[in-house]
Amino acid sequence: EVQLVESGGGLVQPGRSLKLSCAASGFTFSNYDMAWVRQAPTKGLEWVASISTGGGNTYYRDSVKGRFTISRDNAKSTLYLQMDSLRSEDTATYYCARQSVYYGLLLRGQGVMVTVSS
Amino acid sequence: DVVLTQTPSILSATIGQSVSISCRSSQSLLDSDGNTYLYWFLQRPGQSPQRLIYLVSNLGSGVPNRFSGSGSGTDFTLKISGVEAEDLGVYYCMQATHAPFTFGSGTKLEIK
């Protein structure tokens, strides 16, 4: 069974950094592109970033470009999201997702809450 | 960015009733490879979103066959044939034809 367990969230002041992790199991992690999706409180879903199987290609939504970095460690089956220069509008629950061309995004975790506030 | 407009925003149904949710795109979602990358998700209260439908009309693994998807180009529909209590939650469409991926604003299904 596919499992994705996010961790690393918390309360952080504007301008500070936070690093999220997503431990994957139940599938061959290195065979799949991966992504982060977020959901602000009481709001809808928003794609944040994606990374290719080997990590060589990364993609970001405009509002996080230059501030967020997606990466992966295939040996550890773990996905990361380094978030720098955090803003209040980054406050959200962050979900990690397995990404595939035909099947789209598969979200299996409970997500991790990030609150940016002074 | 591609805008996905979902209607209605709130849907109230009785058990056993059939309902439909519309998702309209600001651009055609037909890709140059011939595929249409349109998906449907259900987010139950307190849970993460779960994929129901992929590529417009294909049922995800373990998804009951009372769910069906249809459409093409810019107009898509999710139908539930015989709503059950476990179907309550928020439904989202998502497109992956054009970067960046975008989601609809959601349709909340309430059970009367």
Side-chain angles (χ1 to χ4, degrees), chain B residues 6-38:
Chain B
Q6 284 185 236
T7 54
S9 55
I10 301 175
L11 190 53
S12 187
T14 56
I15 301 299
Q17 182 180 351
S18 292
V19 298
S20 293
I21 299 170
S22 169
C23 176
R24 289 190 169 175
S25 174
S26 60
Q27 298 179 38
S28 174
L29 299 184
L30 176 62
D31 193 75
S32 56
D33 66 5
N35 290 312
T36 299
Y37 297 99
L38 188 282

Side-chain angles (χ1 to χ4, degrees), chain A residues 17-58:
Chain A
S17 299
L18 207 58
K19 187 172 186 177
L20 306 183
S21 300
C22 170
S25 61
F27 65 101
T28 304
F29 182 75
S30 58
N31 286 354
Y32 288 87
D33 295 346
M34 297 294 293
W36 288 97
V37 172
R38 69 185 179 185
Q39 185 171 34
T42 72
K43 300 296 184 183
L45 300 166
E46 186 174 79
W47 169 81
V48 176
S50 293
I51 187 168
S52 59
T53 54
N57 294 302
T58 55

Side-chain angles (χ1 to χ4, degrees), chain A residues 28-101:
Chain A
T28 304
F29 182 75
S30 58
N31 286 354
Y32 288 87
D33 295 346
M34 297 294 293
W36 288 97
V37 172
R38 69 185 179 185
Q39 185 171 34
T42 72
K43 300 296 184 183
L45 300 166
E46 186 174 79
W47 169 81
V48 176
S50 293
I51 187 168
S52 59
T53 54
N57 294 302
T58 55
Y59 310 89
Y60 302 92
R61 68 179 303 103
D62 285 349
S63 61
V64 308
K65 276 180 188 174
R67 300 189 299 120
F68 288 13
T69 303
I70 188 172
S71 62
R72 63 191 297 161
D73 185 336
N74 285 343
K76 294 183 178 179
S77 295
T78 302
L79 178 71
Y80 302 101
L81 186 67
Q82 175 68 44
M83 303 185 294
D84 298 324
S85 303
L86 282 161
R87 305 168 180 169
S88 57
E89 55 263 37
D90 297 319
T91 294
T93 296
Y94 285 73
Y95 297 100
C96 121
R98 190 180 79 177
Q99 180 177 323
S100 61
V101 173

